């Protein structure tokens, strides 16, 4: 069974399962308890990115617990 990817509680960036820190913001607050997924390719043109305060392209969890 594949390990669940980890979402950052700080910036919602979705990281690989073996990470200890977030690749996007460096936080160590990662969790497997998240739902929803959005890929943001052009954050400067995205209303969703603006709502989520995302400035870097990548995959983000919509809800992190």
């Amino acid at each position: 069974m594949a390990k669940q990817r980890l979402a950052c509680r700080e910036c919602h960036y979705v990281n690989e399962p073996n990470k200890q820190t977030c690749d996007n913001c460096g936080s160590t607050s990662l969790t497997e308890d998240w739902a929803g997924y959005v890929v943001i390719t052009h954050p400067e043109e995205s209303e969703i990115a603006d709502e989520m305060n995302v400035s870097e392209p990548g995959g983000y969890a919509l809800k992190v617990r």
Side-chain angles (χ1 to χ4, degrees):
M1 181 175 200
K3 284 188 163 185
Q4 172 113 7
R5 291 184 290 171
L6 303 170
C8 177
R9 287 187 179 100
E10 302 299 321
C11 71
H12 292 212
Y13 187 80
V14 177
N15 296 270
E16 293 302 315
N18 60 341
K19 292 293 181 178
Q20 300 296 315
T21 60
C22 177
D23 286 339
N24 187 51
C25 73
S27 171
T28 58
S29 184
L30 304 177
T31 181
E32 291 181 350
D33 193 7
W34 60 275
Y37 186 76
V38 62
V39 176
I40 297 175
T41 55
H42 300 286
E44 65 281 351
E45 300 171 11
S46 169
E47 289 181 30
I48 294 171
D50 189 45
E51 283 289 319
M52 293 179 68
N53 295 316
V54 168
S55 60
E56 295 298 321
Y60 293 85
L62 295 175
K63 182 185 273 186
V64 178
R65 295 180 191 97

